[in-house]
Amino acid sequence: MAPPPAVLPVLPMLLVLGRPLLGAPGQGASTWARFARLPYPQDQLFLHDTFPDGFLWGAGSAAYQTEGGWRQGGKGASIWDTFTHRPATPAESVLPGPMGGDVASDSYNNIFRDIEGLRHLGVSHYRFSLAWTRLMPNGTAPINPVGLAHYGRVLSRLRELGIEPVVTLYHWDLPQGLQDAFGGWASPILPELFRDYAELCFRHFGGQVRYWLTMDNPYVVAWHGYGTGQLPPSVQGGPRLGYRVAHHLLQAHAKVWHLYNDHFRPTQKGKVSIALSSHWIKPQHMTEKNIKECQKSLDFVLGWFAKPIFIDGNYPESMRSNLSSLLPQFSEEDKKYIKGTADFFALSFGATLSFQLLDSHMKFQQLESISLRQLLYWISTEYNNPPVFIVENSWFVSGTTKRDDAKYIYYLKKFIMETLKAIRYDGVNVFGYTVWSLLDGFEWHRGYSIRRGLFYVDFQSHDKKLIPKSSVLFYQKLIEKNGFPPLPENQPIAEVFPCGFAWGIVDNYIQVDTTPAQFLDPNVYVWDVHQTKKLIKVDGVFTSKRKHHCADFAAIRLQVSLLQEMHVTHFHFSLKWSSVLPLGNISLINHTLVHYYQCFASELLRVNITPVVALWQPMAENQELPTYLAKYGAWENSETVQAFVEYAKFCFASLGDHVKFWITMNEPSVKNLTYTAGHNLLKAHAKAWHLYDKEFRRSQKGKISIALQADWVEPACPFSRNDQEVADRILEFDIGWLAEPIFGNGDYPHVMRSWLHQRNSIDLYNFHLPSFSEDEKKLIQGSFDFFALSHYTTTLVGWEKEDALKYDHYLEVQMINDITWLHSPSRAAVVPWGLRKVLKWVKSKYGDVPVYVIANGIDDDQNMVHDKLRVYYIQNYINEALKAYALDNVNLRGYFVYSFNDKTAPKYGLYSYVANQYEPKPSMKHYREIIDNNGFPDPDTAEVLCPEDTALCPECHFFRTRKSLFAFISFIFVAFIVTIFFITYYSKRAERRCK
């Protein structure tokens, strides 16, 4: 089937095809304005596409983090060995695992274990670092042949498997001997010693290596190793020493690049770069000043090293103008020597620097962010669109997380999707991506408190086996598919709903205004036109009274006219029990309000809109129960059951002639219900249903059921059986708790009972789930005419405890967020396929029951830009509902949007309400178009014509079925009037002539 006409156009071609112009220093400042102008929400949608052919997929690790074997094979001590062997602080002493990298993941003794993990992943490359101290124990001669043999075996095995090595010469583990003898990188001698070390590596390994990285993250080495002293070698030299060390690092890098370029490139044909790390920053406000501060922030971190290498051999202008007395100077010869010393841009982005090691002063009072796509675009525009190789990227999970690392997966998914967008939308030349890291290891200043590996390592075990996490399966499948290719189930379908499908809108409570019209006022007034200009009541003078008419309520006329404008067939609202029967019984009845409800329903029927009326909907104040009932236990009190039945009977009797579509309870919140309250609520619903069935159905011919909130719950790790069990459990507690007794077997879900029994026995909880008698089961089971559900969003759940603030200890469930999903201003996730899944779940659980999506909607922030999100939401959620009907054979009878207007449901309405005026939003017009088309018709298929619906009010039906008769009578009446007119006219003319 052809897809329906697109509502949201694809991104403008200039975004897809327009490659950035050749960059220059400062041009990256255009990035923030550009991304602020991109079309919303299209630009934020997940991109289903693949990476270019030949794209490199890999994983990485660093020697000190994973190798261990710190005293094996002749290895010397590094500054990190010294740092981690100092006495532990109290905070460090409680971290899980060994302190430091003495053993770590023990990769030194498990070469083939790690490489087998790479083969399992299917990667094209592996980034790892050489331990300087394993090759040159003191940093200079003599050379350690055991170390040379070790790395030779690693490279040979990688080559056997066709995995490209990407080798880092220096990843922070400076030989302690060089620190002791020369002061480490603070000495100008170090660049030459580093060149000697690099020459050794090129000679011995260069024939097997095509990609070399001279060093990793020089910002951290310089600033935190020698400036703040936060990291080894812990020299607190302040900014001046930090800048001097960076100067030496740049010189060292340039020496190694030139060494390779002059002596090894002709034969080895490899490429050399430096791994530069960066954060991303966004302005607090989109002002020119704040954008300049953001540009300065990137200059001070990334540009500090990138501009000398990729542009002109000198530091960024913002650094030179602000740090003239601290920043070393490059000679003209130095500039020429450093400029151009990179064959590609090697980028590191993620949890090492972002929100961790970035100096707060270098944010310049702007806001740190983790937008990889915007950083890639900034690099492209700032540095002449270089080929970019992402050599380190990922996030982290808690150190206690074992197998199901859902948080890690969704960050990985976000970063890779942003990389894909940077390539496809922004024209950034990215040719490779590297996950960090292959396996769990020692995470620098955070020790073993976090994990970043694709493979789990039990640091307490002897054999240190690699156990694949869920992220391994995720990354493996992504590599196989080379990205995120479009899936058939993600494509919209072109179909229409059946004739008679209910198209509705929801208002929690209708606007009630019982102010009498002026025509009902019996008093006589005189208008004082000379002095006060006001009406003055004449005392003692009255006119005759007339009956009240529904047309007297102006508020009803206005609301009904707005509903007509929308072209809906149904309108769903709730009655206010506390207002109709203030005392909770019929001893006191609000007749004015009841009359208003009667009028509202009859006016809806008059314009052929079906009222869908809920007897009770819980709200914040007293749960919308009469005060007396709320005071004495609310639904905890069994007397509330009988009070509800009495109230229902009154409503059926008073409104039943106008209302044929009843909801007993609308969205009872299971989050706020005790088990006793839920028990009583179910009995109240069932008794009200049977009351209607026995006493009112035959005469009123209506239908009645309960409406349950049914948001979808998805396992956070789709490959995890444990996460699937958690998702199934939450669905039973959230939906099945109230649905199973009514639509199922008359009792609570087995999963629910067994879980509570387990929890009560193990943890000594006292959560008692009441039992139904056999008579009560028979009463409750089958007390429905349809399944009404409200659905707003989808939640991801897992079993691994990751975030204490989002962990439910009682149900042992961790709430997870997929950060690639669209989110509303209130952070509600926009996941259209969740509606289809919940509809399929209802069908699989409860059979071919008629289903109504009784409420479905999203919030906005009163900004027309964000109403585009609601347009997208309505379009795609309805299309998923259509798939459930057309493809899954769900007996779907109707769909209702939440909500009618912003006055009664602020931020959710299809009508805005400003200055006492209702204005239709674009989303209302879009919903109306879908209603008029009855879905998404295929333009190539003949239109399906539905027979005109019979009017629901008897008066309307009488007139509609006698149109011809009334047309004839109207013709006779008009002819009669015209005849009288002409007779009168010519008679008067004749009289005038006679005179």
Side-chain angles (χ1 to χ4, degrees):
M1 289 176 285
V7 175
L8 295 178
V10 296
L11 288 172
M13 292 304 291
L14 65 92
L15 297 185
V16 181
L17 300 177
R19 299 179 68 81
L21 298 174
L22 288 181
Q27 283 196 10
S30 65
T31 302
W32 292 277
R34 178 187 186 274
F35 280 87
R37 294 193 303 267
L38 293 181
Y40 178 87
Q42 300 99 312
D43 183 66
Q44 294 186 21
L45 298 178
F46 193 87
L47 174 59
H48 289 279
D49 201 350
T50 56
F51 284 80
D53 292 340
F55 192 81
L56 302 179
W57 295 104
S61 67
Y64 186 77
Q65 291 185 280
T66 60
E67 273 190 1
W70 81 286
R71 289 192 293 191
Q72 287 182 256
K75 178 184 176 294
S78 74
I79 56 175
W80 272 93
D81 291 317
T82 303
F83 181 75
T84 56
H85 290 164
R86 78 201 191 290
T89 66
E92 292 167 335
S93 64
V94 299
L95 296 178
M99 290 307 300
D102 291 1
V103 179
S105 316
D106 202 21
S107 292
Y108 180 73
N109 295 303
N110 292 278
I111 298 172
F112 297 112
R113 175 203 67 179
D114 293 1
I115 297 176
E116 179 60 23
L118 292 165
R119 188 191 64 77
H120 181 72
L121 282 169
V123 295
S124 57
H125 69 272
Y126 178 43
R127 180 195 170 192
F128 66 98
S129 70
L130 306 176
W132 192 342
T133 53
R134 199 172 291 287
L135 297 172
M136 293 177 158
N138 294 314
T140 58
I143 297 167
N144 179 18
V146 179
L148 289 174
H150 170 76
Y151 290 120
R153 288 193 298 273
V154 172
L155 291 168
S156 295
R157 181 59 178 158
L158 290 173
R159 280 299 182 190
E160 287 175 13
L161 297 177
I163 298 172
E164 191 75 54
V166 178
V167 179
T168 308
L169 293 171
Y170 176 67
H171 201 128
W172 303 8
D173 47 353
L174 184 74
Q176 184 64 43
L178 297 182
Q179 183 63 35
D180 294 340
F182 305 106
W185 289 108
S187 169
I189 296 175
L190 257 290
E192 190 62 35
L193 297 178
F194 184 61
R195 180 194 178 281
D196 294 342
Y197 161 60
E199 183 174 7
L200 171 71
C201 297
F202 293 154
R203 289 194 186 281
H204 281 272
F205 309 128
Q208 301 181 77
V209 179
R210 284 202 307 155
Y211 293 99
W212 290 96
L213 299 172
T214 56
M215 59 186 70
D216 182 87
N217 205 336
Y219 166 84
V220 169
V221 175
W223 194 253
H224 291 301
Y226 294 85
T228 68
Q230 184 178 342
L231 298 179
S234 304
V235 178
Q236 297 180 359
R240 186 179 298 277
L241 183 59
Y243 292 125
R244 190 166 84 232
V245 166
H247 208 67
H248 296 156
L249 290 170
L250 280 166
Q251 291 171 333
H253 160 75
K255 281 180 179 290
V256 171
W257 187 90
H258 282 287
L259 168 70
Y260 189 85
N261 192 58
D262 296 343
H263 300 286
F264 296 97
R265 192 189 302 274
T267 57
Q268 296 180 0
K269 303 188 187 311
K271 296 182 178 181
V272 180
S273 189
I274 179 173
L276 300 180
S277 186
S278 184
H279 62 306
W280 182 247
I281 198 88
K282 62 182 182 180
Q284 290 207 35
H285 305 286
M286 283 296 292
T287 63
E288 184 178 351
K289 178 183 177 182
N290 283 3
I291 289 174
K292 284 183 178 179
E293 295 297 280
C294 289
Q295 180 77 4
K296 187 194 299 184
S297 176
L298 292 174
D299 280 346
F300 269 63
V301 178
L302 179 58
W304 185 3
F305 301 93
K307 182 174 175 288
I309 294 171
F310 289 92
I311 299 295
D312 59 5
N314 205 357
Y315 295 116
E317 172 60 32
S318 59
M319 293 186 75
R320 285 183 282 134
S321 60
N322 284 273
L323 305 168
S324 56
S325 63
L326 297 175
L327 203 62
Q329 301 292 314
F330 285 119
S331 67
E332 290 304 315
E333 185 178 348
D334 285 339
K335 292 177 186 177
K336 293 177 182 178
Y337 191 71
I338 293 172
K339 177 183 175 182
T341 55
D343 300 320
F344 55 90
F345 197 111
L347 176 65
S348 168
F349 182 78
T352 301
L353 185 66
S354 296
F355 295 95
Q356 281 295 316
L357 293 175
L358 175 66
D359 191 290
S360 59
H361 295 96
M362 294 185 182
K363 298 179 187 178
F364 297 100
Q365 300 181 330
Q366 305 309 308
L367 304 175
E368 197 170 357
S369 174
I370 54 170
S371 176
L372 176 56
R373 178 186 171 190
Q374 294 186 46
L375 175 61
L376 289 168
Y377 183 82
W378 186 89
I379 290 170
S380 179
T381 54
E382 189 80 4
Y383 302 122
N384 293 322
N385 194 22
V388 178
F389 193 173
I390 298 172
V391 294
E392 177 184 344
N393 178 239
S394 76
W395 207 241
F396 63 90
V397 293
S398 165
T400 60
T401 299
K402 293 183 174 63
R403 297 288 299 277
D404 293 327
D405 52 344
K407 173 184 170 184
Y408 186 92
I409 287 174
Y410 290 109
Y411 272 94
L412 210 57
K413 181 181 173 186
K414 167 189 165 65
F415 291 137
I416 294 173
M417 187 265 289
E418 289 191 347
T419 303
L420 181 60
K421 285 186 175 181
I423 294 169
R424 296 302 188 197
Y425 290 169
D426 309 326
V428 181
N429 184 12
V430 184
F431 67 89
Y433 179 89
T434 312
V435 167
W436 200 269
S437 61
L438 173 64
L439 67 166
D440 292 333
F442 174 73
E443 290 299 333
W444 306 117
H445 61 296
R446 285 184 280 188
Y448 296 94
S449 64
I450 65 168
R451 292 176 182 268
R452 295 185 67 190
L454 294 168
F455 287 89
Y456 172 78
V457 176
D458 181 356
F459 298 111
Q460 305 296 342
S461 69
H462 176 72
D463 56 6
K464 304 288 191 298
K465 286 184 179 178
L466 293 193
I467 302 174
K469 302 179 189 178
S470 290
S471 54
V472 165
L473 294 172
F474 167 79
Y475 193 47
Q476 187 183 56
K477 291 183 180 297
L478 187 144
I479 293 172
E480 287 175 3
K481 298 175 181 177
N482 198 33
F484 310 100
L487 301 173
E489 57 266 31
N490 294 332
Q491 304 306 309
I493 66 168
E495 274 283 358
V496 293
F497 288 95
C499 293
F501 190 77
W503 292 104
I505 191 73
V506 185
D507 209 352
N508 287 336
Y509 298 103
I510 58 174
Q511 179 189 346
V512 175
D513 183 358
T514 58
T515 304
Q518 61 180 1
F519 305 108
L520 300 178
D521 188 351
N523 294 292
V524 175
Y525 298 85
V526 174
W527 186 13
D528 183 0
V529 296
H530 298 293
Q531 297 181 7
T532 65
K533 310 293 184 181
K534 296 180 180 179
L535 292 174
I536 301 173
K537 184 170 71 174
V538 179
D539 294 331
V541 180
F542 303 96
T543 62
S544 59
K545 292 185 178 180
R546 68 168 178 81
K547 285 185 177 182
H548 287 232
H549 297 294
C550 290
D552 295 330
F553 294 117
I556 292 179
R557 294 199 305 273
L558 174 59
Q559 291 177 83
V560 171
S561 67
L562 295 176
L563 292 169
Q564 282 184 282
E565 184 181 12
M566 203 180 301
H567 298 181
V568 293
T569 61
H570 291 64
F571 179 53
H572 172 35
F573 64 94
S574 299
L575 306 178
K576 286 194 172 185
W577 184 1
S578 61
S579 299
V580 174
L581 302 180
L583 299 181
N585 56 54
I586 59 174
S587 63
L588 178 61
I589 301 170
N590 186 339
H591 290 287
T592 303
L593 180 59
V594 172
H595 176 64
Y596 188 91
Y597 284 141
Q598 290 170 337
C599 284
F600 199 100
S602 65
E603 287 298 296
L604 288 173
L605 290 174
R606 186 180 62 81
V607 295
N608 210 27
I609 296 175
T610 301
V612 180
V613 179
L615 295 171
W616 173 73
Q617 177 170 338
M619 298 298 281
E621 187 177 357
N622 291 334
Q623 300 180 60
E624 195 43 57
L625 294 171
T627 304
Y628 174 83
L629 296 177
K631 182 179 179 182
Y632 290 98
W635 287 108
E636 296 276 338
N637 189 341
S638 59
E639 291 183 8
T640 304
V641 174
Q642 193 53 43
F644 180 77
V645 175
E646 184 179 358
Y647 162 63
K649 185 174 184 178
F650 171 77
C651 292
F652 296 153
S654 303
L655 302 172
D657 289 341
H658 306 289
V659 178
K660 311 300 179 186
F661 199 139
W662 289 100
I663 302 291
T664 54
M665 289 116 175
N666 193 53
E667 295 186 29
S669 174
V670 295
K671 305 294 184 187
N672 301 319
L673 275 182
T674 65
Y675 293 129
T676 300
H679 202 68
N680 288 331
L681 190 145
L682 283 166
K683 289 192 285 187
H685 155 77
K687 288 184 176 183
W689 186 90
H690 283 284
L691 170 70
Y692 188 84
D693 190 54
K694 292 176 181 177
E695 299 186 22
F696 296 95
R697 189 188 299 276
R698 181 173 297 178
S699 59
Q700 296 180 359
K701 296 179 173 52
K703 52 189 175 183
I704 182 170
S705 196
I706 188 171
L708 304 176
Q709 183 164 340
D711 288 335
W712 182 242
V713 179
E714 184 80 2
C717 293
F719 321 107
S720 166
R721 182 178 300 176
N722 289 332
D723 281 8
Q724 185 62 61
E725 288 178 1
V726 169
D728 292 341
R729 179 162 68 245
I730 300 305
L731 285 170
E732 295 293 0
F733 270 82
D734 283 1
I735 307 173
W737 176 8
L738 300 180
E740 185 65 27
I742 298 170
F743 301 92
N745 62 12
D747 200 357
Y748 296 114
H750 173 73
V751 169
M752 193 174 178
R753 281 206 182 276
S754 61
W755 178 259
L756 292 176
H757 176 74
Q758 173 191 328
R759 300 299 290 164
N760 291 339
S761 61
I762 295 176
D763 298 329
L764 302 179
Y765 284 103
N766 188 24
F767 294 110
H768 174 64
L769 189 62
S771 297
F772 293 114
S773 68
E774 290 303 316
D775 287 342
E776 287 173 336
K777 289 181 183 178
K778 293 177 182 177
L779 176 79
I780 296 170
Q781 185 180 19
S783 56
F784 68 91
D785 296 328
F786 51 87
F787 195 117
L789 63 88
S790 56
H791 175 89
Y792 303 99
T793 190
T794 291
T795 303
L796 294 171
V797 296
W799 72 278
E800 294 257 27
K801 184 178 179 181
E802 177 66 35
D803 182 353
L805 296 176
K806 295 181 179 179
Y807 187 79
D808 185 329
H809 291 270
Y810 172 53
L811 292 176
E812 293 185 355
V813 56
Q814 177 70 62
M815 303 299 174
I816 303 288
N817 181 34
D818 184 340
I819 54 178
T820 67
W821 286 348
L822 272 176
H823 287 82
S824 73
S826 70
R827 302 305 299 162
V830 180
V831 192
W833 51 258
L835 175 57
R836 181 182 178 187
K837 286 200 171 188
V838 80
L839 290 170
K840 290 172 66 177
W841 184 85
V842 169
K843 177 181 172 65
S844 68
K845 289 278 291 182
Y846 307 118
D848 195 34
V849 57
V851 180
Y852 290 85
V853 178
I854 209 74
N856 179 235
I858 195 74
D859 63 289
D860 61 28
D861 63 355
Q862 312 292 359
N863 186 325
M864 279 301 177
V865 169
H866 285 285
D867 193 57
K868 293 179 181 178
L869 177 62
R870 184 177 288 107
V871 170
Y872 171 84
Y873 184 98
I874 291 173
Q875 166 86 8
N876 287 277
Y877 272 82
I878 293 177
N879 199 266
E880 291 296 322
L882 181 59
K883 291 178 189 176
Y885 164 74
L887 305 180
D888 307 325
N889 297 315
V890 174
N891 188 6
L892 186 62
R893 301 290 186 86
Y895 171 90
F896 293 63
V897 168
Y898 181 86
S899 167
F900 181 18
N901 62 74
D902 284 340
K903 182 176 183 181
T904 52
K907 300 183 180 181
Y908 282 86
L910 297 193
Y911 283 91
S912 61
Y913 184 76
V914 181
N916 296 322
Q917 295 290 324
Y918 292 96
E919 290 294 334
K921 299 179 183 178
S923 52
M924 188 285 282
K925 297 174 182 178
H926 185 62
Y927 183 43
R928 181 173 63 192
E929 182 181 345
I930 294 174
I931 294 173
D932 291 344
N933 290 323
N934 201 32
F936 308 95
D938 187 337
D940 298 328
T941 305
E943 182 180 359
V944 177
L945 297 176
C946 293
E948 188 175 2
D949 293 330
T950 303
L952 294 172
C953 60
E955 297 85 356
C956 297
H957 181 63
F958 176 84
F959 287 110
R960 283 173 179 263
T961 55
R962 294 166 174 79
K963 287 182 179 179
S964 300
L965 174 62
F966 284 109
F968 177 74
I969 293 173
S970 299
F971 172 77
I972 295 299
F973 178 76
V974 171
F976 175 77
I977 295 298
V978 171
T979 302
I980 295 298
F981 170 79
F982 280 114
I983 291 173
T984 305
Y985 175 78
Y986 285 109
S987 297
K988 288 183 178 180
R989 285 189 64 182
E991 290 177 3
R992 283 198 295 270
R993 287 175 181 173
C994 292
K995 290 180 180 180

